[in-house]
Amino acid sequence: QVQLVESGGGSVQAGGSLRLSCAASGSTFSRFHMAWFRQAPGKEREGVAAFRPGSSTASYAYGDSVRGRFAISQDSSKNTVYLQMNSLKPEDTATYYCAAALRPLPLGTFLRSDSYNYWGQGTQVTVSS
């Protein structure tokens, strides 16, 4: 079983930055495909950022609305994945979820929520104008 615990959410003004953390436990972290999703009230869950670990180079995917502003990264020594969010906008307001998959994912499926079978409890991000 895999446990994911998010932290780092909060309130920030537009243009500001936040860094979310997701601590993983329960399996070999280096095997995880990790991702961040978000869901705003009344909207579908949206894939924000994802990566597939690789022995030489990892593969990354970003949602169109965050590309160039958000970055996903990991610290294997801490079994933690991060989401650095810069130039935040009010439309980034949502509950952000960390997700993990232990099976190989084709690159085109990184941002699909049904690709992942482990989820954190979510952390709220609120961006004010």
Side-chain angles (χ1 to χ4, degrees):
Q1 191 72 328
V2 175
Q3 294 83 43
L4 304 173
V5 180
E6 301 102 331
S7 61
S11 297
V12 64
Q13 289 191 329
S17 298
L18 282 175
R19 189 178 77 159
L20 306 183
S21 300
C22 173
S25 62
S27 187
T28 305
F29 182 74
S30 62
R31 296 170 50 207
F32 292 2
H33 296 241
M34 301 296 297
W36 286 95
F37 289 80
R38 68 185 183 186
Q39 189 166 20
K43 295 187 177 181
E44 293 187 356
R45 189 165 293 190
E46 174 189 14
V48 173
F51 82 93
R52 177 177 65 195
S55 57
S56 56
T57 58
S59 296
Y60 297 86
Y62 291 94
D64 290 340
S65 61
V66 306
R67 189 176 294 112
R69 300 188 297 123
F70 290 12
I72 187 171
S73 62
Q74 65 165 335
D75 184 338
S76 298
S77 67
K78 297 180 180 179
N79 283 6
T80 299
V81 65
Y82 302 98
L83 183 69
Q84 179 65 45
M85 305 185 295
N86 299 324
S87 301
L88 283 162
K89 304 175 181 179
E91 51 264 43
D92 294 319
T93 296
T95 301
Y96 283 71
Y97 297 91
C98 176
L102 296 182
R103 57 187 176 84
L105 299 179
L107 184 57
T109 67
F110 281 15
L111 296 180
R112 287 177 47 175
S113 59
D114 60 0
S115 295
Y116 299 86
N117 44 359
Y118 298 100
W119 293 85
Q121 82 287 353
T123 185
Q124 178 67 35
V125 171
T126 303
V127 184
S128 58
S129 58

